[in-house]
Amino acid sequence: MTSTSRSTSLFTAHSALTPYGWDEDWADAFAPHAPEGLLPGRVLRVDRGQCDVVTADGVLRADTAFVTPHDPLRVVCTGDWVAVEPAGTPRYVRTYLPRRTAFVRSTSSKRSEGQILAANVDHAIVAVSMAVELDLARIERFLALAWESGAQPLVVLTKADLVPDPVTLAHLVQDVETSAPGVPVLPVSATLGEGLDVLAAVVGGGTAVLLGQSGAGKSTLANALLGEDVMDVQAARDVDGKGRHTTTTRNLLVMPGGGVLIDTPGLRGVGLWDAGSGVGQVFAEIEELARDCRFHDCAHESEPGCAVLAAIDSGELSERRLESYRKLMRENQRIVAKTDARLRAEIRKEWKRRGAIGKAAMEAKRGRLR
């Protein structure tokens, strides 16, 4: 049997997974694990070292300890396609298939570690509440991580019914569009059902992840897309629009119109994690302008012949955008430098450990030869 026919056979045998995104490419990626008697499946949620995996035989509970290395970016996460044991107590996930995309942020840890939030995502929905003043800098931060993940970002302005004046709403949408070049911006009211059909059409057929702060209306939006009250909803404070975490784990659910949705807990901190190219895409107009600067390493501060500063003077570019760009670039450079330093330290530590083992082995050998 050729590799192509083997993949086709695997795809057909597990076609019950198609609503979860199973396709012939995933079947081809899983093929090396089939001779071991393992099952392909997609991770629906992860909690406390255990995960729920949907397979063609149903949802299985499995232990992730077999795939828990020291690197936190290589742990099993919601959205992963995995090879899981068909039986056993405990039952183990043996490995996850190579990820197409991965949404990663930095943790609050001083170790400068990344945290993977969701894998194999096609659309990253950044939910922003219209109940409070727009924070364009935070939107830009979310978009940088979304672009870096490999997914297509989409900004959804939730609770749009709280801005009844269409002219005011149009201006707010325009403000976000200016801060999100190349990204669709969609005002939505889950309460009135407005904009939901457009959103469902955009994200249908793929995997979408919902991102945003607590109180942004993610759970309400998720319920509207899923067609039922799957997620608990709590009221946000009127003063700042913040709410308690109604979603405490990342859950993958099938949408009735096609595609799957991953809802995430509200993110208080959204630190960049090696997101240089993502920042560049969010600020594409600044990167474009920078190509015309006199110096290739121009910092856009006070250098002569700076095309970016010239755009500020002419009004083509806002000072707020440039300052936000500088801030995110500085933050990303710091996290990359800290990560590189940590990796270098870990490599040196590993070499010292290996050197000590080799020295001990050599001394033991010399002792035997005496």
Side-chain angles (χ1 to χ4, degrees):
M1 182 183 292
T2 65
S3 60
T4 300
S5 60
R6 186 182 302 111
S7 297
T8 301
S9 177
L10 279 171
F11 169 71
T12 303
H14 301 279
S15 60
L17 289 171
T18 302
Y20 292 89
W22 179 250
D23 57 29
E24 292 202 11
D25 288 336
W26 285 121
D28 185 54
F30 176 77
H33 307 289
E36 301 177 55
L38 302 176
L39 295 175
R42 195 165 195 191
V43 177
L44 303 179
R45 62 178 290 176
V46 180
D47 58 276
R48 299 178 182 179
Q50 300 278 315
C51 65
D52 293 336
V53 181
V54 60
T55 71
D57 295 336
V59 177
L60 309 177
R61 187 71 170 167
D63 195 303
T64 65
F66 201 86
V67 198
T68 307
H70 296 297
D71 186 348
L73 296 181
R74 298 183 182 277
V75 299
V76 173
C77 75
T78 303
D80 269 327
W81 283 95
V82 298
V84 63
E85 295 174 347
T89 306
R91 185 199 315 265
Y92 287 101
V93 169
R94 296 290 295 276
T95 188
Y96 62 81
L97 305 186
R99 292 162 176 158
R100 294 177 181 174
T101 63
F103 193 94
V104 181
R105 67 165 177 175
S106 67
T107 65
S108 57
S109 167
K110 293 182 180 180
R111 285 176 52 82
S112 308
E113 293 178 337
Q115 177 190 20
I116 183 164
L117 299 179
N120 303 312
V121 172
D122 301 299
H123 303 280
I125 304 173
V126 180
V128 180
S129 173
M130 300 293 281
V132 293
E133 185 177 353
L134 287 175
D135 186 342
L136 297 176
R138 179 170 285 273
I139 294 173
E140 289 161 347
R141 178 179 291 273
F142 269 108
L143 290 176
L145 291 178
W147 278 122
E148 192 68 34
S149 75
Q152 168 64 50
L154 168 68
V155 177
V156 173
L157 303 178
T158 64
K159 308 178 186 180
D161 54 289
L162 298 181
V163 186
D165 179 35
V167 175
T168 302
L169 181 60
H171 281 307
L172 292 172
V173 170
Q174 187 176 29
D175 286 344
V176 177
E177 287 176 338
T178 301
S179 300
V183 177
V185 179
L186 181 64
V188 166
S189 170
T191 303
L192 302 180
E194 296 176 350
L196 292 174
D197 54 343
V198 178
L199 176 59
V202 171
V203 302
T207 297
V209 62
L210 262 175
L211 306 162
Q213 290 181 286
S214 297
K218 297 191 308 301
S219 294
T220 300
L221 185 60
N223 287 337
L225 289 171
L226 295 167
E228 56 182 318
D229 292 339
V230 176
M231 303 297 175
D232 292 333
V233 177
Q234 294 177 355
R237 297 195 300 248
D238 293 334
V239 64
D240 56 10
K242 293 181 179 178
R244 288 175 291 171
H245 294 301
T246 53
T247 303
T248 55
T249 59
R250 289 171 280 280
N251 303 279
L252 186 148
L253 299 156
V254 176
M255 292 185 285
V260 296
L261 181 70
I262 300 175
D263 192 17
T264 65
L267 301 175
R268 290 191 179 93
V270 192
L272 299 185
W273 177 259
D274 197 4
S277 63
V279 174
Q281 284 182 274
V282 175
F283 299 92
E285 80 279 27
I286 296 179
E287 300 264 304
E288 183 67 28
L289 287 166
R291 294 190 179 96
D292 294 327
C293 289
R294 181 183 300 177
F295 304 108
H296 75 278
D297 58 348
C298 183
H300 320 308
E301 297 285 354
S302 58
E303 296 87 345
C306 176
V308 175
L309 294 180
I312 293 286
D313 292 338
S314 68
E316 180 185 353
L317 178 68
S318 72
E319 293 227 17
R320 189 209 66 79
R321 281 281 284 172
L322 179 56
E323 183 52 38
S324 183
Y325 173 73
R326 288 170 175 160
K327 181 178 179 180
L328 292 182
M329 287 297 288
R330 286 194 299 266
E331 178 183 331
N332 193 66
Q333 288 165 357
R334 283 196 302 271
I335 196 69
V336 169
K338 289 171 66 177
T339 302
D340 288 346
R342 178 174 61 84
L343 289 176
R344 287 195 298 270
E346 289 180 353
I347 290 171
R348 286 196 297 270
K349 184 178 179 180
E350 177 64 14
W351 276 111
K352 286 182 179 179
R353 186 186 69 82
R354 292 184 181 184
I357 293 174
K359 184 178 179 181
M362 183 62 70
E363 289 178 351
K365 183 178 180 180
R366 286 173 181 166
R368 288 195 299 270
L369 294 175
R370 286 175 185 165

